[in-house]
Amino acid sequence: MGEDERLPTYGDEERELQPPPPVAESEMRSIFCSPVHWFKMLARELHWSFVFGVVIVYGVSQGLGGALARVGTQFYMKDVQKVQPSEAQVYAGITSLPWIVKPLWGILTDVVPISGYQRRPYFVFAGSLGIVSMLFLSLHPGLHIVLALLSLTAASASVAIADVTVDACVAQKSGLHHSLAADMQSLCSLSSSIGALVGFSLSGIFVHLIGPQGVYGLLTIPAGLVFVVGILLKEQRVSSFGYEQISQNLANAGKAMWNTLKCPDVWRPCLYMYLSFSLGLNVSEGMFYWVTDSAAGPSFSKQIIGYIMAIGSVGSLLGAILYQYGLKDYPFRDLLFWAQILSCLSGMLDLALVLRWNLRLGVPDLFFVVADASVSQMIGRLKWMPLLVLSSKMCPPGIEGTFFALLMSIDNAGLLTSSWLGGLLLHVLNVTRTEFDNMWLAILIRNVLRIAPLFLLFLVPRADPNSSLLPDDVVNIKETAESENVELVALVDRTDGGR
């Protein structure tokens, strides 16, 4: 008898009789195991401390911590400081100032090592600043508004510095591991989205149980974890550094950015981004006071406010997915046109809520507000995503990181202007803690002004998002800079001779 005709043994029979695992069970195991394998691969290729740093900064500090801070600060201003809606709107703009100077943090972490390290000391400083500011806010119940604003601004600076530093780490890793660049961006986005969803879901509960200042105490934990990132991050120490070159290299960076900004293909879209954000007046603080304090409003509790924001963050995530899989190949101008139209229409939902049209139609307040938050966040994301891609297309070689930070600062300046103009509008219309008669008018004016960016779309190139937007003289800025001694020179020599 040949080997092909061998009789099966007992063990063989048992294996043959054993049914294969169900398809559904195999698929479920694959779904749950795939993210684990993906994280292990990233930790193996990029080092676990880098993956840990991205998750902490994007997921815990910005996502979860940012959600807790937003809801906690809204109730802190309303219930503890007892400020008017217009004042709260202006104060929200003040605390966002550190995000406008992001290029400064970017240049510092790029060209000024501390104790031989370029990234770790900035994480340590950011974490320490966050811990001190949050403890100061949580332990002083009768804090003056000026000191409270200084502490909140310091906390905002803590998050901004950590954000810029981890962005620099991601950019550096992307240059060394080109095939994992998309995976790194996915890690950043997923960490931020999941963190925000969890944070908003818990924010109302924590504010209700321990109060806004108790939430500030909890926020020392994300800041402390950022500090830990600075301790654990694997980074090569530099052997030498010429501190006398700092001023020269800062001047070189400024000159390179100015040469790029003078190009019409760059300053025109920048002008559009600033004006489009500025003209979309932010009256969110007035709406927050109305839905929580107004006798004519729904009088939502702290927990409900947190849940509404959590569902809104899901809408934002859906907007990002919709753009990625259905809209990313559309021309910038066409996509921004329809996003702005939808923004105008979605703003009318706030007007219908304040005028109580939803009750006349038999739609409950909670359902209406949840739908409003989801739609508004999704449309906002659909407008923001093409602007991010457009900004990345405007960054010339050699100064990509710093110039992208500059473009984000322009966007943040537009948001700051929007917040302050919205606060001024609430003040002029006499929208206060107890008077909301003109809240509908503030929303109507905001919605009308949202039409204005449609007339500025000629500033945005009607180009294929997959093509280059910069002219050859800007694309070749690196070579030009070398001949004129304009580019940033290497300031450090690594001990192992690496890059």
Side-chain angles (χ1 to χ4, degrees):
M1 184 180 295
E3 293 181 359
D4 293 338
E5 298 176 350
R6 180 180 61 88
L7 292 175
T9 63
Y10 177 78
D12 294 329
E13 291 179 347
E14 189 177 53
R15 283 193 294 269
E16 290 175 1
L17 294 175
Q18 207 170 27
V23 176
E25 179 182 343
S26 177
E27 291 180 352
M28 290 296 295
R29 186 184 299 113
S30 176
I31 291 174
F32 285 106
C33 292
S34 293
V36 176
H37 295 320
W38 183 60
F39 268 97
K40 286 183 177 180
M41 182 272 295
L42 291 177
R44 181 176 64 253
E45 298 293 333
L46 304 173
H47 198 266
W48 67 267
S49 62
F50 169 78
V51 176
F52 175 74
V54 170
V55 171
I56 292 300
V57 174
Y58 277 103
V60 180
S61 178
Q62 291 188 40
L64 189 147
L68 291 175
R70 179 178 174 184
V71 178
T73 300
Q74 285 184 318
F75 282 101
Y76 177 76
M77 289 295 176
K78 182 175 74 75
D79 298 335
V80 179
Q81 293 292 341
K82 300 187 182 301
V83 302
Q84 299 294 343
S86 57
E87 295 174 324
Q89 194 73 63
V90 173
Y91 295 155
I94 292 175
T95 57
S96 68
L97 286 174
W99 291 87
I100 297 180
V101 293
K102 282 185 67 174
L104 174 61
W105 315 130
I107 291 177
L108 288 177
T109 188
D110 281 339
V111 306
V112 185
I114 299 175
S115 298
Y117 295 100
Q118 285 186 277
R119 315 299 184 197
R120 294 176 61 181
Y122 292 96
F123 283 123
V124 171
F125 174 74
S128 302
L129 185 62
I131 293 173
V132 172
S133 58
M134 289 294 99
L135 282 178
F136 188 74
L137 279 167
S138 63
L139 298 177
H140 292 77
L143 198 62
H144 192 274
I145 185 62
V146 175
L147 295 177
L149 285 177
L150 288 175
S151 297
L152 288 172
T153 304
S156 179
S158 166
V159 180
I161 294 170
D163 172 75
V164 171
T165 307
V166 80
D167 282 346
C169 293
V170 171
Q172 186 177 22
K173 290 287 186 179
S174 297
L176 298 175
H177 304 271
H178 299 286
S179 61
L180 296 177
D183 293 274
M184 283 184 265
Q185 292 300 326
S186 297
L187 177 64
C188 297
S189 299
L190 287 173
S191 299
S192 179
S193 299
I194 295 173
L197 180 60
V198 174
F200 280 126
S201 300
L202 298 176
S203 59
I205 299 174
F206 282 134
V207 172
H208 174 71
L209 293 177
I210 60 180
Q213 291 182 275
V215 170
Y216 288 146
L218 285 178
L219 288 175
T220 58
I221 298 176
L225 290 175
V226 172
F227 182 92
V228 173
V229 170
I231 300 298
L232 298 180
L233 182 69
K234 181 183 179 182
E235 182 183 12
Q236 296 171 349
R237 188 171 186 175
V238 300
S239 58
S240 62
F241 173 68
Y243 282 95
E244 66 279 357
Q245 297 178 348
I246 291 178
S247 59
Q248 179 61 41
N249 282 273
L250 292 178
N252 291 342
K255 186 175 180 180
M257 288 191 291
W258 174 246
N259 289 337
T260 306
L261 280 174
K262 290 190 299 183
C263 174
D265 292 326
V266 175
W267 69 258
R268 287 162 62 93
C270 289
L271 180 61
Y272 171 81
M273 289 190 291
Y274 173 77
L275 292 177
S276 65
F277 283 117
S278 299
L279 293 172
L281 300 189
N282 188 347
V283 293
S284 60
E285 294 300 327
M287 282 297 298
F288 171 73
Y289 277 65
W290 184 83
V291 299
T292 54
D293 282 3
S294 174
S299 300
F300 288 142
S301 65
K302 299 177 177 66
Q303 297 96 317
I304 295 298
I305 292 293
Y307 294 148
I308 291 172
M309 291 186 174
I311 297 175
S313 66
V314 174
S316 177
L317 181 60
L318 291 177
I321 295 174
L322 179 60
Y323 176 82
Q324 174 67 25
Y325 292 102
L327 301 173
K328 65 178 181 179
D329 294 326
Y330 281 79
F332 293 114
R333 191 183 298 182
D334 295 346
L335 190 54
L336 289 173
F337 173 83
W338 288 110
Q340 199 65 42
I341 291 290
L342 292 175
S343 179
C344 297
L345 295 177
S346 67
M348 299 303 293
L349 295 176
D350 288 336
L351 184 63
L353 179 67
V354 171
L355 294 178
R356 314 307 282 146
W357 292 346
N358 63 300
L359 296 181
R360 297 178 188 177
L361 297 174
V363 181
D365 284 328
L366 181 59
F367 178 83
F368 195 83
V369 173
V370 165
D372 183 6
S374 301
V375 171
S376 299
Q377 289 287 335
M378 183 177 66
I379 294 173
R381 177 62 65 174
L382 289 177
K383 177 182 177 180
W384 178 247
M385 292 297 289
L387 290 178
L388 282 177
V389 177
L390 179 62
S391 297
S392 66
K393 295 285 184 179
M394 293 190 295
C395 296
I399 55 172
E400 298 97 337
T402 303
F403 199 80
F404 189 80
L406 174 64
L407 296 177
M408 293 300 98
S409 297
I410 293 174
D411 294 343
N412 289 324
L415 294 173
L416 173 63
T417 304
S418 168
S419 183
W420 284 355
L421 290 178
L424 178 62
L425 179 63
L426 293 175
H427 177 73
V428 171
L429 295 179
N430 195 34
V431 176
T432 66
R433 296 172 58 89
T434 56
E435 294 291 334
F436 299 95
D437 293 341
N438 291 328
M439 189 64 217
W440 70 272
L441 183 57
I443 296 173
L444 181 61
I445 293 173
R446 180 202 66 183
N447 293 344
V448 171
L449 286 176
R450 284 184 177 181
I451 300 175
L454 294 174
F455 301 98
L456 301 172
L457 281 172
F458 67 92
L459 297 170
V460 178
R462 189 192 295 274
D464 182 358
N466 299 315
S467 63
S468 177
L469 300 179
L470 297 178
D472 293 338
D473 57 336
V474 176
V475 173
N476 297 327
I477 190 173
K478 187 173 182 180
E479 287 77 8
T480 304
E482 287 176 351
S483 63
E484 298 177 357
N485 195 25
V486 175
E487 74 166 347
L488 292 178
V489 298
L491 296 181
V492 296
D493 296 320
R494 300 194 180 278
T495 55
D496 61 350
R499 285 170 287 187

